[in-house]
Amino acid sequence: MSDSTFTFLATSDLSSRIKGRSVLSKNYAPGTSVGWVPANIGITNTGHIAEDLPFGSSGDLRLLADDESIRQINGIPGVPDTQLVFSDIVKNDGEPWSCCPRTILKETLQELSEKFGLSMTASFEHEFSEKGLTTASHPFSFLRFLDHGEIGKTLVSVLEAAGIRPECWLPEYGKHQYEITMEPEKPLQAADNAVLIRELTKQVYRAAGKKITFSPVPFPGDAGTGVHIHFGLYGPAGEVVAYDPKAPGRLSSIAAKFNAGIIKYGRAMTAIFAPLSISYDRLKPNNWSTAKIFCGVENREALLRVCPTNEIGGKAPDKQFHFEFRGGDAGANPWLLLAALIKAGMEGIRQDLPPVDVVAGEVDFTDESLSFESLPDSLSSALQVLEGSDTVKSWFSKEFVETYIAVKRQELKDLEGKSFSEQCEVYSNVY
Ligand code: GLU
Ligand code: MG
């Protein structure tokens, strides 16, 4: 039983805005649910219901608390202690609702386990920037680390109280940019953590009188801001299945197929992992984000990076061997982003795709003989590519696809007439 007055039943919408309703904590019990409205899933990132949704003003759903995902939000100066519980959007009889992003991830994980005998670990890496400063900013500097020393200390204790295990806290390369990483967890918990960490970090900064943004382009012309997903593939009980020291890039046959699916469907799922108009300014060569759709060993321009292993002192590489998906940003709902990644990987295994090409060393992106596919160059073309992919659409319900496209088109429409810098300003206040 929590000391907090309220328990907030939380979901995150298609534009990655966390929302929900609260009940009094003294009335909360496992199985608690509150009413919810279908059209809420069609609210844009700036906060109004999109046109052309398959939902209107009628209909009811419920937000059903997942008691295993309770989190305590304690220790943020000026913010009352609160209990939060991640909740699934269900029909009134408790049956799953096909547009709930968290349910989509849960069902995807069930399929990964039951049909493919695989389990995963995941961890989301978040970058963000402090806004409104005019002082100089040096990459990775100890000075900037110390500048945010007190905040870092509060942040770590708030995250730990909320059941998140932070791993690294660092000044990043970009202007006034920082990064917080988390220890690997089971995938659902990792995505729940990603939903929560952004809000908690913003609140901790707000309490210190500072403003931050996770927007993919915090300052036009400067480094972009990504949300990278580290993931490891394992057998049902955590057995090593992805590592083969003799294979190209050390990818086992199952890992090579899984990653081949991500590369094959990377273009068609771009509107899911890069869901904002400004996301496409980040996804360019020489930005250390994703220059083209390829899998590269230790390559920070790849959509999929084969991560290094720490073998100092004879540490074994097999269990640590894992991958990093570098295309995502904070506009993407973490449950949906991870689900899409896994669905693409499962597609690679289902179709028995030939092993993904693993690129070693630097890549010259001006080389016209390169065979890598390019990412779409804008959200509107990414939406068209998504609409043209029967395979990617088949991963979701028809209602979900219609809603997702309607929300994203509405967000584009809402920005019409705004310059790129004005769009960046809008999103630096949203994310
Ligand atoms: N800021 C880069 C991005 O937009 C990532 C830099 C790095 O951590 O490798 O994804
Ligand atoms: Mg980084």
Side-chain angles (χ1 to χ4, degrees), residues 82 110 136 182 229-230 250 283 321 342 370 386 403 405 421:
T82 301
Q110 194 178 349
M182 296 175 269
I229 304 182
H230 287 256
R250 304 192 287 178
L283 300 174
F321 186 65
I342 300 170
L370 275 185
L386 170 63
T403 308
I405 289 175
S421 319

Side-chain angles (χ1 to χ4, degrees), residues 234 242-245 249-250 297-298 305-323:
Y234 300 93
Y243 181 75
D244 178 352
R250 304 192 287 178
V297 177
E298 297 170 19
R305 168 175 169 243
V306 181
C307 295
T309 46
N310 174 358
E311 294 172 44
I312 297 172
K315 283 197 187 86
D318 53 355
K319 264 209 134 147
Q320 342 162 13
F321 186 65
H322 74 278
F323 313 101

Side-chain angles (χ1 to χ4, degrees), residues 126-147:
H126 284 88
E127 296 172 332
F128 61 88
S129 307
E130 186 179 349
K131 286 188 59 178
L133 297 180
T134 48
T135 47
S137 168
H138 192 82
F140 315 120
S141 73
F142 187 49
L143 186 69
R144 285 208 287 123
F145 173 74
L146 291 181
D147 275 350

Side-chain angles (χ1 to χ4, degrees), residues 45-46 415 418 421-431:
N45 53 18
T46 53
L415 293 176
K418 290 206 185 318
S421 319
E422 287 167 343
Q423 295 181 27
C424 292
E425 186 54 28
V426 169
Y427 285 148
S428 75
N429 290 313
V430 171
Y431 291 104

Side-chain angles (χ1 to χ4, degrees), residues 112-340:
L112 182 72
S113 154
E114 288 174 4
K115 291 217 180 112
F116 298 93
L118 292 173
S119 72
M120 262 181 114
T121 58
S123 168
F124 289 63
E125 223 176 69
H126 284 88
E127 296 172 332
F128 61 88
S129 307
E130 186 179 349
K131 286 188 59 178
L133 297 180
T134 48
T135 47
S137 168
H138 192 82
F140 315 120
S141 73
F142 187 49
L143 186 69
R144 285 208 287 123
F145 173 74
L146 291 181
D147 275 350
H148 285 209
E150 270 309 317
I151 294 179
K153 224 169 113 182
T154 310
L155 183 60
V156 164
S157 77
V158 168
L159 296 181
E160 286 181 336
I164 294 174
R165 297 187 300 142
E167 186 196 43
C168 286
W169 160 243
L170 53 127
E172 245 284 8
Y173 179 81
K175 187 168 139 192
H176 302 299
Q177 189 182 45
Y178 288 81
E179 177 167 318
I180 180 109
T181 66
M182 296 175 269
E183 297 286 353
E185 304 285 3
K186 288 187 177 155
L188 182 65
Q189 188 180 354
D192 288 351
N193 286 349
V195 170
L196 193 53
I197 198 168
R198 303 168 192 184
E199 302 301 319
L200 296 182
T201 310
K202 278 188 194 165
Q203 288 295 334
V204 168
Y205 271 82
R206 196 174 288 178
K210 293 176 186 288
K211 188 160 182 204
I212 56 163
T213 178
F214 289 81
S215 162
V217 189
F219 307 113
D222 199 73
T225 290
V227 175
H228 305 165
I229 304 182
H230 287 256
F231 66 94
L233 275 181
Y234 300 93
E239 304 90 330
V240 172
V241 297
Y243 181 75
D244 178 352
K246 295 194 206 73
R250 304 192 287 178
L251 268 71
S252 71
S253 138
I254 196 88
K257 283 181 204 185
F258 191 90
N259 287 354
I262 296 172
I263 296 302
K264 177 167 176 184
Y265 292 102
R267 219 175 123 71
M269 62 182 193
T270 307
I272 296 173
F273 65 76
L276 304 178
S277 62
I278 60 171
S279 300
Y280 295 79
D281 189 68
R282 176 182 158 255
L283 300 174
K284 296 185 298 205
N286 309 317
N287 235 6
W288 293 32
S289 55
T290 301
K292 296 265 180 184
I293 301 178
F294 69 100
C295 175
V297 177
E298 297 170 19
N299 191 316
R300 290 176 187 78
E301 297 277 348
L303 180 64
L304 210 46
R305 168 175 169 243
V306 181
C307 295
T309 46
N310 174 358
E311 294 172 44
I312 297 172
K315 283 197 187 86
D318 53 355
K319 264 209 134 147
Q320 342 162 13
F321 186 65
H322 74 278
F323 313 101
E324 180 188 39
F325 181 81
R326 297 179 60 83
D329 67 50
N333 176 302
W335 295 315
L336 205 52
L337 172 53
L338 188 53

